């Protein structure tokens, strides 16, 4: 019987020892529990042997009994030591250590175009303009016809348009991806009437051949100001103020005539190229000047389409390339970077 006990002792201790090598804490705990029941449980192997002691002679009882108790204590101690040292210290490791420095979760930030947009919105708000928006999927009527560009007019060729399939191509409700933010001019006039001071920042789409300065999706910011006695000099003053606000210094401009069917007269405002200080470089196509704001006095037909009496009121409109302006402000040479999702580019802002 003593041999049996000794065997049991060795077996139990060996199995515990092997268990220390086991990798998974969960398994380890389960196996430990099973082993404890196997050896120390009420129906366990040790109990079975102990139960036989009563059948021994008195002297044997004393000797074997003492030995059995020793073995029992030893195994029990090994089990509780294993639990204390091994299982609980491992469990400790798997818990959160509050003394470790935390993992900083990184916060995103706004896209450079959004930053530009917000900056301009603040500027125009300070000049008393309200901020409007319109649909990106626009009707042919608002995108062209209400802007004095009838069906089949050659002026439509100025903007490569994404037309949406429509059964009746003559239907003025047929849809296009808006090619500019100008359709919101007429929408705003219809909704708010005159006097009106508003800007419309937004996404526009053109079926362009893509290159460093052409994207199918880009951002514009439309502006209109309608009141009695508005003239082109009001527009020039607003534009100068705006450029000063963006570039934080006086910016030299020049004004050329420009054609857009929805303004009369139409102008192009150019600013001196900031990359070469007007000396001529690839970005300004060696001219020293960059087109920034097309605009002009709102055509009477457009005012009428918006329900405004063109004999009483006049106004100016301009369409500023937000994407273009962001490129100039930050010296970005390729427009395709904006929508590329390239973090090396985006993280600089
Ligand atoms: N919508 C014109 C364009 O995208 C720009 C423009 C706006 C011109 C307002 C004049 C007045 O080309």
């Amino acid at each position: 019987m003593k041999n049996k006990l000794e065997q049991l002792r060795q077996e139990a201790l060996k199995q515990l020892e092997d268990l220390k090598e086991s990798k998974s804490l969960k398994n380890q705990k389960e196996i430990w529990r099973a082993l404890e029941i196997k050896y120390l449980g009420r129906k366990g192997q040790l109990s079975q042997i102990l139960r036989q002691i009563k059948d021994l002679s008195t002297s044997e009882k004393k000797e074997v009994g003492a030995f059995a108790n020793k073995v029992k204590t030893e195994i029990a101690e090994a089990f509780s030591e294993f639990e204390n040292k091994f299982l609980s210290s491992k469990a400790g490791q798997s818990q959160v250590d509050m003394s470790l420095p935390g993992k900083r979760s990184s916060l995103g930030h706004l896209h450079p175009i959004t930053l530009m947009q917000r900056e301009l919105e603040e500027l125009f708000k300070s000049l008393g303009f309200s901020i409007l928006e319109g649909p990106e999927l626009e009707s042919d009527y608002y995108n062209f016809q209400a802007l004095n560009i009838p069906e089949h007019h050659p002026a439509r060729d100025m903007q490569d348009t994404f037309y949406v399939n429509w059964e009746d191509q003559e239907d003025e409700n047929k849809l296009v991806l808006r090619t500019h933010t100008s359709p919101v001019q007429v929408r705003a006039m219809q909704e708010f009437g005159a006097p009106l001071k508003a800007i419309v920042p937004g996404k526009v789409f053109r079926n362009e051949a893509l290159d460093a300065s052409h994207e199918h999706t880009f951002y514009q910011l439309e502006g209109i100001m309608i009141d009695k006695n508005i003239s082109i000099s009001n527009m020039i003053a607003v534009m100068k103020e705006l450029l000063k606000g963006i570039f934080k210094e006086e910016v030299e401009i020049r004004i050329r005539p420009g054609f857009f069917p929805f303004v009369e007269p139409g102008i192009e405002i150019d600013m001196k190229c900031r990359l070469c200080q007007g000396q001529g470089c690839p970005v300004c196509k060696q001219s020293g000047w960059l087109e920034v704001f097309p605009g002009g006095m709102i055509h009477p037909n457009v005012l009428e389409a918006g329900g405004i009496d063109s004999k009483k009121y006049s106004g100016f409109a301009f369409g500023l390339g937000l994407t273009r302006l962001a490129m100039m402000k930050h010296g970005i040479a390729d427009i395709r970077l904006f929508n590329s999702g390239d973090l090396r580019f985006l993280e600089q802002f």
Side-chain angles (χ1 to χ4, degrees), residues 159 180 182 185 206 220 222 260 262-263 294-295 317-319:
Q159 302 179 344
H180 49 181
S182 301
Q185 286 185 26
R206 291 194 198 170
Q220 289 188 336
E222 193 84 7
F260 302 95
F262 36 96
V263 285
F318 60 87

Side-chain angles (χ1 to χ4, degrees), residues 56-166:
L56 297 173
S57 67
T58 319
S59 64
E60 272 178 328
K61 247 187 212 164
K62 215 177 168 194
E63 197 194 337
V64 176
F67 185 65
N69 269 337
K70 210 181 121 212
V71 170
K72 188 179 175 182
T73 319
E74 202 179 324
I75 296 178
E77 268 173 9
F79 269 96
S80 67
E81 185 194 306
F82 186 91
E83 186 188 21
N84 289 340
K85 267 206 195 147
F86 216 64
L87 292 183
S88 57
S89 72
K90 272 219 169 169
Q93 278 169 26
S94 77
Q95 283 164 12
V96 178
D97 182 348
M98 304 301 276
S99 67
L100 283 176
K103 256 193 204 161
R104 192 179 292 275
S105 56
S106 58
L107 262 188
H109 63 79
L110 295 175
H111 189 274
I113 304 238
T114 313
L115 289 171
M116 187 88 230
Q117 180 180 327
R118 298 257 171 113
E119 193 179 334
L120 293 180
E121 284 175 0
E122 284 312 308
L123 258 163
F124 277 104
K125 268 199 275 180
S126 74
L127 297 174
F129 283 71
S130 41
I131 300 163
L132 304 178
E133 55 184 17
E136 289 170 4
L137 194 56
E138 184 55 281
S139 70
D140 185 278
Y141 175 75
Y142 282 110
N143 197 80
F144 294 121
Q145 297 170 44
L147 292 172
N148 212 20
I149 312 176
E151 196 81 34
H152 310 303
H153 192 282
R156 290 203 178 198
D157 291 348
M158 287 162 68
Q159 302 179 344
D160 292 316
T161 309
F162 287 114
Y163 284 95
V164 173
N165 273 344
W166 206 260

Side-chain angles (χ1 to χ4, degrees), residues 306-322:
I308 288 176
D309 185 349
S310 61
K311 302 223 166 48
K312 256 168 93 182
Y313 288 99
S314 59
F316 66 78
F318 60 87
L320 160 174
L322 256 188

Side-chain angles (χ1 to χ4, degrees), residues 273-290:
C273 179
R274 294 173 61 82
L275 292 175
C276 62
Q277 306 304 329
Q279 298 305 300
C281 70
V283 173
C284 59
K285 299 197 191 99
Q286 307 302 333
S287 71
W289 295 93
L290 286 163

